[in-house]
Amino acid sequence: QVQLVESGGGLVQAGGSLRLSCAAPGRTFSNYALGWFRQAPGKEREFVAAISWSGGITAYANSVKGRFTISRDNAKNTVYLQMNTLMPEDTAVYYCAAAAQIAALRYSYDRNYWGKGTLVTVSS
């Protein structure tokens, strides 16, 4: 059963914006940390951003800090990633994930719940 489902990916020009969404139709993740990872061709999956269950704590990879913003709506059981000033190096499949806390999500991600991913392609 699919528990996390990403949407919002697509083709965008450099400098443009996209908003990714990740919904959880199968169960509630209101008390979980949620986050985003990405995997570019030929590279390992890397951490992008995370948010605590209350939304009070966020964390970002240095490569996206200042450009991307993570948020969540627990009433909708959904996490978002607003991506601004996109660059070609942001091209990747973006995955959402859930874990008990941000540290576990970032550093013990073999235990995470995962979505299937959504492709973001940034053209130059």
Side-chain angles (χ1 to χ4, degrees):
Q1 184 178 13
V2 176
Q3 294 181 298
L4 298 171
V5 182
E6 303 94 337
S7 62
L11 176 64
V12 65
Q13 293 180 334
S17 298
L18 285 173
R19 190 179 77 155
L20 305 183
S21 300
C22 177
R27 62 168 291 172
T28 180
F29 286 96
S30 60
N31 292 324
Y32 283 70
L34 299 172
W36 293 91
F37 290 73
R38 66 186 182 186
Q39 188 165 21
K43 299 183 68 176
E44 295 184 357
R45 189 172 299 191
E46 65 174 343
F47 169 77
V48 176
I51 187 167
S52 63
W53 70 269
S54 67
I57 303 172
T58 58
Y60 296 93
N62 289 336
S63 58
V64 307
K65 197 165 189 175
R67 299 188 297 119
F68 292 9
T69 303
I70 189 170
S71 61
R72 66 189 294 166
D73 184 342
N74 285 344
K76 296 182 178 180
N77 208 25
T78 301
V79 62
Y80 306 94
L81 185 68
Q82 178 66 45
M83 305 186 295
N84 297 326
T85 319
L86 283 162
M87 301 181 292
E89 50 263 49
D90 295 317
T91 295
V93 176
Y94 284 72
Y95 301 88
C96 65
Q101 56 188 280
I102 289 176
L105 186 146
R106 292 188 64 177
Y107 304 118
S108 302
Y109 59 74
D110 286 347
R111 296 175 176 263
N112 292 350
Y113 294 92
W114 292 98
K116 294 295 185 181
T118 186
L119 177 63
V120 172
T121 303
V122 184
S123 65
S124 59

